[in-house]
Amino acid sequence: MSITDQIQKVRSEFSSDLEKLSSDNSVLDKIRIKYLGRKGLVSALFVHMGTVSNEERPKMGQALNALKKDIESEIDAAISSSSDSKNQKLLDVDYTLPGDPINRGSIHPLTLVMEEIKSIFNRLGFSIAYGPEIDSDFYNFEALNIPKHHPARDMQDTFYITDNILLRTHTSDTQIHFMENNNPPVRIIAPGRVYRNEDVSVRSYCLFHQIEGLYVDKKVTFAELKGTLDYFARELFGQNVKTRFRPSYFPFTEPSAEMDVSCIFCKGGGCGICKKTGWLEILGCGMVDPEVYKSVDYDPQKWSGFAFGMGIERMAMLKYGVQDIRLFYSGDVRFLRQF
Ligand code: DAH
């Protein structure tokens, strides 16, 4: 059979193969290999090129190349028409239908406030320390100058586990843990959970969070305490907020004070939230009592410092205008989603 006849034969065989099978891509691949593969029918014809005369060779070459091109383009066309029909099926999906919602979580408001407070004090060079939530009478009371029958114990209704082990009532215990294990100077804040056996109400819960601060160095003054806490209040509540310090009493500080900020709701004019005073109490503070240094073996002649403690729930309630402390623990997504 002449090469021209063979070319014709391959062409018609290819056409009938393609007709039978042109809807399936994997079969199309097989056809491609059958004709265009290295050992395929078309390559086999190219081998015959050596046997034709010099005059005929260019014509044969053209004819063979044309065969190869035609087969290639017909296979490509068959593939793209079969994938067109697949695409058509995809288009039957209605993309305007609303999709399944992705429910994103949100950060708990207490975490938000805690992180913000931590970052303010980090900027002032305070690092973070943690203490245990289950602690002994010594760290929670005794070492903080609150001996057994001291009336100040009545300020904090305590959950006792044994006579000596309790759930800490404040983060002040971490002052003692930290000073016991570290030499001065000290510059820490200690965030954490605290527990009090109080009736659950709009304003109080059996657990809540505090941040404690402790700064100990040589010749620390009350002016530094005021400057630090004033800066903190303006960073947290806004630069226009005013602060004032009122004398107070805590066994572990002397002198002691409470800090108020001008009411962030009425700007100091007097409203229901500040009970018409124009001021909101936000934290307790004072110069560390020398008795406290004695219980951690710091020399009170050499070292001085200040401490402060604040409730995170109270800060969050003020910052976000939350009226009921129990909402923080309700797990109610309608509440949590707002933050
Ligand atoms: N521990 C106190 C409380 O829970 C708060 C406090 C007041 C902490 C004064 C301090 C401080 O470090 O100096 O009410």
Side-chain angles (χ1 to χ4, degrees):
M1 213 194 299
S2 77
I3 287 200
T4 320
D5 289 344
Q6 288 188 49
I7 289 179
Q8 202 41 54
K9 189 174 165 259
V10 169
R11 262 193 199 285
S12 54
E13 187 175 342
F14 173 72
S15 296
S16 77
D17 274 354
L18 199 63
E19 222 160 83
K20 278 184 265 166
L21 304 163
S22 66
S23 61
D24 183 338
N25 278 358
S26 71
V27 178
L28 283 167
D29 276 341
K30 282 193 192 122
I31 294 178
R32 185 200 294 278
I33 292 164
K34 175 176 172 186
Y35 291 90
L36 302 176
R38 258 193 317 127
K39 293 179 185 154
L41 294 179
V42 177
S43 313
L45 289 178
F46 273 99
V47 175
H48 290 302
M49 285 284 282
T51 66
V52 299
S53 66
N54 283 349
E55 301 88 74
E56 271 196 295
R57 194 170 295 127
K59 246 178 73 195
M60 281 303 113
Q62 263 178 10
L64 273 173
N65 279 326
L67 172 69
K68 193 176 162 196
K69 267 221 182 89
D70 291 349
I71 290 180
E72 268 171 357
S73 64
E74 280 189 51
I75 289 179
D76 286 346
I79 288 178
S80 75
S81 79
S82 85
S83 57
D84 273 358
S85 66
K86 272 192 205 130
N87 287 342
Q88 192 52 48
K89 280 197 200 105
L90 286 180
L91 285 174
D92 290 344
V93 175
D94 181 354
Y95 291 109
T96 64
L97 286 173
D100 291 334
I102 298 170
N103 290 315
R104 288 181 65 200
S106 56
I107 298 178
H108 195 281
L110 293 179
T111 309
L112 282 175
V113 173
M114 188 97 93
E115 290 304 317
E116 192 174 350
I117 296 174
K118 279 199 248 173
S119 103
I120 295 170
F121 282 105
N122 281 163
R123 294 204 286 281
L124 290 172
F126 285 75
S127 50
I128 297 184
Y130 294 98
E133 290 175 25
I134 299 173
D135 213 348
S136 69
D137 188 279
F138 174 78
Y139 291 99
N140 196 77
F141 291 127
E142 206 88 24
L144 288 161
N145 197 28
I146 316 174
K148 275 269 172 332
H149 300 288
H150 196 287
R153 289 205 180 197
D154 291 346
M155 288 159 73
Q156 303 176 352
D157 303 304
T158 310
F159 285 113
Y160 282 94
I161 295 171
T162 67
D163 279 353
N164 191 37
I165 306 293
L166 45 78
L167 298 183
R168 67 174 176 191
T169 58
H170 53 185
T171 43
S172 305
D173 68 331
T174 310
Q175 291 189 29
I176 306 301
H177 285 288
F178 191 87
M179 287 193 283
E180 229 178 34
N181 294 311
N182 295 275
N183 290 325
V186 171
R187 199 184 296 181
I188 53 154
I189 52 168
R193 204 176 265 186
V194 303
Y195 301 83
R196 289 188 198 178
N197 190 6
E198 280 177 26
D199 291 336
V200 172
S201 75
V202 174
R203 306 179 110 256
S204 63
Y205 202 69
C206 49
L207 70 90
F208 57 101
H209 297 77
Q210 289 187 330
I211 288 193
E212 191 80 12
L214 177 66
Y215 187 114
V216 180
D217 209 328
K218 287 177 182 149
K219 297 198 173 75
V220 176
T221 66
F222 198 86
E224 284 167 278
L225 160 75
K226 286 177 80 171
T228 303
L229 295 177
D230 187 66
Y231 170 83
F232 159 72
R234 279 185 283 112
E235 287 293 296
L236 188 65
F237 292 113
Q239 291 305 315
N240 294 328
V241 95
K242 292 190 187 63
T243 56
R244 74 175 184 188
F245 290 79
R246 283 176 292 104
S248 184
Y249 173 77
F250 300 100
F252 33 89
T253 45
E254 180 60 34
S256 304
E258 280 171 318
M259 184 173 85
D260 298 342
V261 291
S262 52
C263 180
I264 51 182
F265 299 101
C266 61
K267 310 273 177 275
C271 67
I273 293 176
C274 61
K275 300 200 191 84
K276 302 259 184 286
T277 61
W279 295 95
L280 298 164
E281 182 215 315
I282 64 162
L283 55 79
C285 57
M287 303 306 289
V288 178
D289 192 302
E291 286 300 317
V292 175
Y293 294 132
K294 284 186 200 157
S295 53
V296 294
D297 268 342
Y298 279 16
D299 180 356
Q301 299 301 321
K302 196 168 161 199
W303 303 104
S304 58
F306 61 78
F308 52 89
M310 67 188 95
I312 305 300
E313 278 76 356
R314 180 159 174 78
M315 298 294 170
M317 288 170 89
L318 293 175
K319 210 172 153 64
Y320 299 121
V322 175
Q323 307 275 354
D324 185 340
I325 194 171
R326 292 169 297 189
L327 283 168
F328 292 122
Y329 306 100
S330 64
D332 187 336
V333 289
R334 290 168 306 176
F335 171 69
L336 296 173
R337 236 186 242 135
Q338 300 173 64
F339 300 94

